[in-house]
Amino acid sequence: MEKVQSNVAGLCELPAEFIRPEAEQPRFTTFEGADAEVPVVDFGGEWETVVKAVCEASSKWGLFQIVNHSISGEVIDNLQRVGRLFFELPNEEKTAYARDPESKSLDGYGSRLRNGWVDHLFNKIWPPNAVDYRFWPKTPPDYREVTEEYGKNLQEVVEKLLGCLSLGLGLGVEELKTAVGGEELVYNLKINYYPPCPRPDLVLGVPAHTDLSALTILVPNQVQGLQVFRDQHWYNVSYIPNALIIHIGDQIEILSNGKYKAVLHRSVVNKEITRISWPVFMEPPPHLEVGPHPKLLNQQSQPKYKTKKFSDYAYCKLNNIPQ
């Protein structure tokens, strides 16, 4: 499929493959009243209060925003700057980092999302043995420095989130981190680039899904686009400046045996303005087996999910094979 961005210039009609079925089109499915009142967690508050807020939001929503976290506005601004500059490069420069179609890895530039109005760049940014610098842009020249700095800053946030979620399950503060891979937990950065679309009422940036990750931490630009499914409607999510948006992914839902909920979400696009987002998917290493945590299971609480290698789970999810 041709890249979405290169199709935009001079586009008079919307290519048919991008038009979603009526049951998915934003014009029929977006709630037109108030935006979703997504929970906001003050990450700088008292520890017990933070734990309670994170666990409650993860159980009821699977989605929340955190403020007063440890990542500076400058670090986030730089991440947004280098990502934007990469996508503003000529197409031939971007395609130098194209994903290898023969590889199982998603690393690189391209579009694998069926009929989504989006181009993207995948780069694993942690741990060091998972990083493949062949797919890291050399332009802008500080892309690597800025992206690695953001990855280092994320570690404290991830540690704290997993600690909260672990305590909320009645486990030790480190047990959930260990269950998702410990120091081998993979940080998979994806930059989503959604160019202006002539008919945003008919298309989706990314169709409805839950993330196959354990957690997803997302930075948006200030263009509205994230929607969450609640009470049989799709609601817009309003952004708070400098907040991080947290998604509970499939692996945390599985490990919690269903106490925490992976959030069903999608993205919509804009007629006039480019939207960009920077999710980082926190994924178990491929070889790790993930299932309901043994300490949560007993005669009254049977496993609701299978235990399987993360690589097998991901293969089924990406190929629409039942788990």
Side-chain angles (χ1 to χ4, degrees), residues 30 46 62 64 109 164 185 187 200 232 280 322:
T30 297
E46 293 289 330
F64 53 98
Y109 169 71
C164 291
L185 186 66
Y187 291 29
Q232 304 305 308
V280 178

Side-chain angles (χ1 to χ4, degrees), residues 19-227:
I19 299 175
R20 307 303 301 181
E22 284 195 359
E24 298 179 32
Q25 290 174 11
R27 61 176 175 163
F28 295 128
T29 56
T30 297
F31 184 72
E32 297 297 339
D35 291 352
E37 294 183 7
V38 172
V40 178
V41 177
D42 181 352
F43 230 42
E46 293 289 330
W47 175 237
E48 293 80 5
T49 304
V50 175
V51 169
K52 182 180 178 182
V54 165
C55 296
E56 188 170 300
S58 300
S59 301
K60 294 182 178 178
W61 282 80
L63 177 74
F64 53 98
Q65 300 190 60
I66 58 174
V67 296
N68 296 324
H69 49 78
S70 56
I71 304 181
S72 73
E74 181 183 10
V75 168
I76 291 173
D77 289 346
N78 280 331
L79 179 78
Q80 293 171 315
R81 174 181 56 81
V82 297
R84 186 185 69 251
L85 288 173
F86 171 75
F87 278 96
E88 290 174 355
L89 292 173
N91 200 50
E92 59 271 18
E93 291 191 47
K94 293 195 293 289
T95 53
Y97 302 98
R99 176 187 167 272
D100 179 358
E102 302 302 316
S103 171
K104 292 181 180 178
S105 171
L106 294 175
D107 282 326
Y109 169 71
S111 181
R112 278 196 68 200
L113 298 168
R114 297 180 183 89
N115 307 331
W117 192 262
V118 61
D119 292 341
H120 67 246
L121 176 69
F122 269 112
N123 290 141
K124 292 187 181 71
I125 62 176
W126 188 263
N129 64 2
V131 175
D132 189 342
Y133 288 115
R134 292 176 301 161
F135 296 101
W136 286 48
K138 293 182 173 60
T139 304
D142 58 344
Y143 179 90
R144 175 171 170 176
E145 176 189 349
V146 164
T147 302
E148 289 185 333
E149 180 68 17
Y150 180 65
K152 289 173 185 172
N153 276 263
L154 269 182
Q155 292 179 44
E156 183 180 332
V157 175
V158 173
E159 189 102 9
K160 190 168 180 177
L161 283 169
L162 290 173
C164 291
L165 293 167
S166 197
L167 291 172
L169 294 173
L171 303 173
V173 70
E174 293 284 333
E175 288 192 82
L176 202 57
K177 177 184 174 182
T178 300
V180 294
E183 299 307 317
E184 292 185 280
L185 186 66
V186 176
Y187 291 29
N188 196 5
L189 168 67
K190 181 187 182 195
I191 306 176
N192 288 310
Y193 184 94
Y194 307 93
C197 176
R199 290 297 305 271
D201 57 326
L202 301 180
V203 311
L204 292 172
V206 179
H209 65 287
T210 59
D211 292 340
L212 61 81
S213 59
L215 293 171
T216 302
I217 298 181
L218 181 139
V219 168
N221 67 356
Q222 296 310 307
V223 180
Q224 174 62 50
L226 177 63
Q227 293 189 336

